[in-house]
Amino acid sequence: MAALLLLLPLLLLLPLLLLKLDLWSQLRWLLADLAFTVRALRCKRTLRDRALAAAAADPESPESGCSLAWRLAHLARERPAHTFLIHGAQRFSYADAERESNRAARAFLRARGWAGDRGGSGTGSTEGGARATPAAGDSGTGGGTTAPPLAPGATVALLLPAGPQFLWLWFGLAKAGLCTAFVPTALRRGPLLHCLRSCGASAMVLAPEFLESLEPDLPALRAMGLHLWATGPETHLAGISNLMSEAAAQVDEPVPGYLSAPQSIMDTCLYIFTSGTTGLPKAARISHQKVLQCQGFYQLCGVHQKDVIYLALPLYHMFSASQFWEDCQKHGVTVFQYIGELCRYLVNQPPSQAECGHKVRLAVGSGLRPDTWERFVRRFGPLQILETYGMTEGNVATFNYTGQPGAVGRASWLYKHVFPFSLIRYDVMTGEPIRNAQGRCVATSPGEPGLLVAPVSQQSPFLGYAGAPELAQGKLLKDVFWPGDVFFNTGDLLVCDKQDFLHFHDRTGDTFRWKGENVATTEVAEVFEALDFLQEVSIYGVTVPGHEGRAGMAALALRPPQALDLVQLYAHVSENLPPYARPRFLRLQESLATTETFKQQKVRMADEGFDPSALSDALYVLDQDMGAYLPLTPARYNALLSGDLRI
């Protein structure tokens, strides 16, 4: 006992000693790092065991098919009556999902020419051998056309809004051994045809409500030889049949697993299109392996079987900020997933009774800015924010499992042992990583922005995009640390602080250089967002004739019923930003244009520039001599071009 009493002062002094040794900042998060690492390793082991069990299953059994097929079959058998999906007033159990997707699979299999027997080679989603002939009386075309049957592994595009049908058809396509392409619903004409060609689509399923807007595209779609289905009653348009009536006529029994079992777990089974912020959308290849890995996402986030998860984001992002908390109350939501600006939309809503007394305990997602994070938790808490970082086509993800405000993840040695990545020095002017005399990349120091890269391996591959190889140009870096190594280039700049927390800094294409200094758009945006009268802010660089680099420009949307206070804005910007980072131009808009994933369309706005004769929005310019933002009139615009107005 006396010995313990003697040790007590030493134990009390231990944290101070660790602080002096600069170790306490590392060790204080050790337990959290260790707990998450154990969870991640367990998740990996579970997914590996599932894959091995599927490979060993009877080929005729649904458990031998692709991961989506056998996972849904397993859940339908294990928890048949448990609610799988709530959509409006509709509820569907796991057994319902299994039956509906089985019917859809059989409708697609008829379009494959499958008559219910094993057929030629008997291989799965990438088979290329003989195929069974269509069933008697069946054209085998599935779209009211005379085209040949769909080949195994063919791609079917879904142009559908949010709804249960989207899921049943996706799952059905997977079970039928066909690839799915999620096509953004807003696309028409050239961009739509580009997406269909890039993923090599052989068929398309569309919603009846889109037919009118798609009618001018139908000749081109037919010329491509596409099978065309609609998810509603027959239309007056020839060659388009009702897929749902075809599916309803099928039995709901499981289909054999061998039809969807991939020859390789690296085979592509899904195409997801990028947002197209810098050009036409690209079809990112998603493998069976990645689909399997994604099934462990919520397990990594600490979600349980009894949780009710609100997904306002998938299926092209239907979201109502005014209805959100009422939905949470009505359905007993405990977890919701966010991206981009969703949480900011919620904190900008007027207070409501529904936001009080909810059961939400966890919000999972990415893109939550620090100021919105604090406002969200203060208003709607107590709840946990689990900010993550990842990319559709990427091979790296980070999790802020400690809940540290503003961070997107951890860079502890334990975490990097499971999910390896590095931050390397990057030259904004050249757009290339900085290399040393030996030609190798250089790791950043704590607090220094760096390019996030991750090693490419069999466990963490980069499959690229469908179409021309140059679409992936710049995405792979070679000889990063060792001769012959290959790393995936995320295109994002992150900062790792002294406590190993990762913070998002900027997109490499968004950061610009002005007056010989690098300007991070996210840092400038955070300063502007502190002003109460601003609701939306987008910072980007524009070229100015006669000047090197790009000058900062801020697109602004006001918070109703507030007015723009240029005096306060200038004072705030001058106090909180160095001279080179202060935007030279302001553009006032009713709302800021975004993609379907809430990403700001900075490239388009930068291309539109700041010419008052070309833009109808109110424009302002920073007059250095006057020390104020002034209306950008044609006279001031001409003075700027002639060099008489100093910016």
Side-chain angles (χ1 to χ4, degrees):
M1 186 65 181
L4 289 175
L5 291 174
L6 289 173
L7 285 173
L8 185 59
L10 293 176
L11 292 173
L12 293 174
L13 288 172
L14 183 60
L16 296 176
L17 294 172
L18 290 173
L19 277 171
K20 192 170 183 179
L21 294 173
D22 200 28
L23 292 175
W24 177 242
S25 62
Q26 306 292 327
L27 295 178
R28 62 180 296 203
W29 303 108
L30 180 60
L31 289 180
D33 293 335
L34 185 60
F36 186 85
T37 301
V38 170
R39 186 191 302 169
L41 291 173
R42 286 176 176 171
C43 183
K44 282 191 171 186
R45 186 178 64 219
T46 299
L47 296 178
R48 184 185 67 244
D49 291 345
R50 288 177 186 171
L52 291 174
D58 180 359
E60 296 289 336
S61 165
E63 280 80 2
S64 68
C66 68
S67 63
L68 275 179
W70 53 253
R71 181 61 175 158
L72 183 56
H74 172 77
L75 289 169
R77 185 178 66 251
E78 187 181 65
R79 312 166 69 195
H82 191 88
T83 299
F84 165 68
L85 176 69
I86 301 171
H87 183 77
Q90 298 175 293
R91 281 179 177 263
F92 301 91
S93 66
Y94 282 100
D96 293 332
E98 172 73 353
R99 288 192 293 266
E100 294 295 336
S101 59
N102 286 340
R103 290 191 180 99
R106 290 181 178 275
F108 287 124
L109 284 169
R110 288 172 70 86
R112 264 188 58 175
W114 183 71
D117 61 333
R118 185 141 184 154
S121 64
T123 53
S125 62
T126 55
E127 69 182 290
R131 294 187 297 275
T133 56
D138 182 12
S139 67
T141 63
T145 69
T146 57
L150 293 176
T155 298
V156 178
L158 298 184
L159 190 69
L160 301 173
Q165 289 178 344
F166 187 106
L167 294 176
W168 311 153
L169 297 180
W170 174 28
F171 296 163
L173 286 167
K175 292 180 178 184
L178 298 167
C179 290
T180 307
F182 294 168
V183 179
T185 56
L187 297 185
R188 298 294 185 272
R189 314 301 179 263
L192 172 62
L193 298 177
H194 160 80
C195 287
L196 296 173
R197 292 189 182 106
S198 67
C199 68
S202 300
M204 183 169 72
V205 184
L206 53 94
E209 58 264 37
F210 296 155
L211 279 170
E212 183 177 353
S213 62
L214 282 168
E215 195 160 357
D217 295 319
L218 290 178
L221 296 176
R222 292 191 178 103
M224 292 171 63
L226 294 180
H227 298 249
L228 296 176
W229 284 285
T231 56
E234 292 285 350
T235 71
H236 66 282
L237 300 172
I240 303 179
S241 60
N242 183 356
L243 176 61
M244 302 318 291
S245 64
E246 294 180 18
Q250 308 299 317
V251 297
D252 61 12
E253 295 300 314
V255 299
Y258 70 83
L259 292 166
S260 63
Q263 291 183 346
S264 167
I265 199 168
M266 302 308 300
D267 289 345
T268 300
C269 65
L270 177 65
Y271 295 100
I272 299 180
F273 288 88
T274 62
S275 299
T277 55
T278 58
L280 290 170
K282 293 187 288 188
R285 297 180 182 273
I286 309 299
S287 67
H288 287 276
Q289 181 191 56
K290 189 155 190 175
V291 169
L292 178 63
Q293 291 170 340
C294 287
Q295 293 178 26
F297 174 76
Y298 281 117
Q299 182 181 343
L300 283 175
C301 295
V303 176
H304 313 301
Q305 283 189 355
K306 294 183 179 180
D307 279 314
V308 178
I309 306 171
Y310 191 159
L311 293 175
L313 303 173
L315 321 185
Y316 293 96
H317 316 290
M318 298 184 67
F319 171 68
S320 170
S322 61
Q323 189 69 28
F324 180 83
W325 293 111
E326 289 185 17
D327 288 344
C328 289
Q329 292 265 22
K330 180 179 179 181
H331 300 296
V333 172
T334 57
V335 178
F336 79 89
Q337 189 168 343
Y338 63 85
I339 63 169
E341 302 294 281
L342 187 151
C343 292
R344 188 174 59 80
Y345 294 159
L346 291 175
V347 297
N348 285 332
Q349 287 290 303
S352 69
Q353 190 64 34
E355 71 187 51
C356 303
H358 62 78
K359 297 180 181 178
V360 176
R361 67 173 185 85
L362 175 64
V364 180
S366 59
L368 183 56
R369 293 181 175 177
D371 64 314
T372 304
W373 185 317
E374 294 174 4
R375 292 171 60 199
F376 190 90
V377 173
R378 185 167 60 247
R379 177 172 170 181
F380 303 122
L383 54 80
Q384 179 190 355
I385 301 289
L386 203 164
E387 175 81 356
T388 67
Y389 169 90
M391 303 174 67
T392 302
E393 67 272 45
N395 68 342
V396 60
T398 65
F399 293 78
N400 180 3
Y401 43 83
T402 66
Q404 181 81 351
V408 300
R410 293 276 294 153
S412 68
W413 65 270
L414 275 171
Y415 186 91
K416 293 170 76 172
H417 176 73
V418 183
F419 303 105
F421 64 86
S422 298
L423 296 181
I424 59 176
R425 289 180 175 170
Y426 179 81
D427 189 327
V428 175
M429 289 298 291
T430 63
E432 296 290 338
I434 296 173
R435 295 181 181 261
N436 59 22
Q438 290 73 42
R440 305 290 174 255
C441 296
V442 182
T444 59
S445 302
E448 179 186 5
L451 180 66
L452 177 64
V453 297
V456 174
S457 64
Q458 188 173 358
Q459 293 74 33
S460 302
F462 170 64
L463 298 183
Y465 310 96
E470 55 264 25
L471 292 174
Q473 186 175 1
K475 285 295 183 181
L476 294 179
L477 300 175
K478 298 182 179 179
D479 303 326
V480 175
F481 295 117
W482 302 98
D485 65 15
V486 179
F487 278 66
F488 173 70
N489 175 7
T490 65
D492 288 329
L493 300 175
L494 275 67
V495 175
C496 181
D497 64 24
K498 291 184 178 180
Q499 297 185 57
D500 285 339
F501 284 103
L502 290 168
H503 302 265
F504 185 82
H505 184 71
D506 215 352
R507 289 286 300 169
T508 53
D510 290 346
T511 294
F512 57 89
R513 197 165 178 85
W514 179 251
K515 303 293 185 182
E517 300 284 352
N518 295 333
V519 180
T521 61
T522 51
E523 293 181 358
V524 179
E526 287 177 11
V527 170
F528 272 75
E529 287 168 350
L531 292 166
D532 292 338
F533 56 82
L534 296 181
Q535 181 157 297
E536 294 181 273
V537 178
S538 181
I539 308 296
Y540 50 96
V542 291
T543 56
V544 181
H547 291 75
E548 294 290 335
R550 289 187 289 161
M553 187 164 184
L556 311 173
L558 297 174
R559 177 177 287 114
Q562 306 273 9
L564 179 62
D565 188 336
L566 289 173
V567 175
Q568 183 185 353
L569 188 150
Y570 176 77
H572 178 75
V573 167
S574 299
E575 182 179 350
N576 292 280
L577 288 174
Y580 65 85
R582 298 168 191 167
R584 266 49 183 176
F585 303 99
L586 306 178
R587 179 178 178 178
L588 189 61
Q589 299 181 285
E590 289 189 10
S591 62
L592 304 189
T594 62
T595 67
E596 290 175 322
T597 53
F598 303 150
K599 293 180 179 178
Q600 297 173 341
Q601 296 187 342
K602 295 185 179 184
V603 173
R604 192 192 77 184
M605 290 191 288
D607 290 341
E608 291 172 349
F610 53 91
D611 185 351
S613 65
L615 297 173
S616 59
D617 298 324
L619 300 173
Y620 303 88
V621 62
L622 176 60
D623 189 313
Q624 300 274 50
D625 297 328
M626 296 286 292
Y629 282 105
L630 303 176
L632 182 55
T633 61
R636 287 196 176 99
Y637 178 77
N638 291 329
L640 190 155
L641 296 184
S642 65
D644 295 331
L645 178 60
R646 185 173 65 90
I647 62 169

